[in-house]
Amino acid sequence: MAGLLLWSQTDLEDEITAEVAIRFLDDDRTGAIDAAPLLRLQERSAGYVISGLQHAYPQLITAITAWQADLDNVPERLRSLALNVAIAYLAKRHPEVIKLDWKSLMDHADASIARIRKEGLDSLGIETTPEPAANHGGTRGGGTDDDVTLTVSPYQYFNGPLGTSDF
């Protein structure tokens, strides 16, 4: 999952303002966001979200790979979820800059991922594959309902020394 991104620097700046983003990611104190910590944050947050969803959405990696040319194609729900994880990582990295509990932020992200993975509770908002999730619905093998035969006789109640009849 290395190299897969779900949001851009502009998305992060829109979410937490450019000034705060610079305070978080300007390690060399030049007044601009450094490329290495930004890329690391993008990859970590995307990896966290993807790892939580890829079993329910087996085609997710393929779709995200196609979106890498233009991150504006990433569905908003997926981008927002990855940004939430990124902000949690930033709050953990620099608690002096932002006074948010990173554990609560991560718990919120985990709950969002769980809602998406759970059938019918939430969606990624993707119109084509991988929507619906792989754990949604199922397929039935060949045959008809008439082909089903009962191989074990049903238990008979009240069929003993004190029984009154078979039901």
Side-chain angles (χ1 to χ4, degrees), residues 114-137:
R115 285 185 57 80
I116 291 169
R117 287 184 64 168
K118 225 173 189 180
E119 183 179 330
L121 291 182
D122 218 342
S123 166
L124 288 178
I126 300 171
E127 297 297 324
T128 59
T129 55
E131 199 82 297
N135 62 351
H136 188 284

Side-chain angles (χ1 to χ4, degrees), residues 24 89-102:
F24 274 125
Y89 281 140
L90 288 175
K92 181 180 179 183
R93 184 175 192 233
H94 289 293
E96 74 281 358
V97 176
I98 190 165
K99 305 292 188 223
L100 295 174
D101 179 22
W102 72 271

Side-chain angles (χ1 to χ4, degrees), residues 10-22 24-25 41 83 86-87 90 98 100:
T10 305
D11 293 326
L12 181 66
E13 291 171 347
D14 289 347
E15 191 76 19
I16 61 173
T17 75
E19 180 182 335
V20 173
I22 289 170
F24 274 125
L25 299 168
L41 181 65
L83 277 168
I87 291 169
L90 288 175
I98 190 165
L100 295 174

Side-chain angles (χ1 to χ4, degrees), residues 62-84:
T62 305
I64 291 173
T65 302
W67 298 328
Q68 294 306 290
D70 184 6
L71 293 179
D72 289 337
N73 293 328
V74 176
E76 186 56 39
R77 180 75 172 110
L78 193 57
R79 177 191 347 263
S80 176
L81 188 55
L83 277 168
N84 288 344

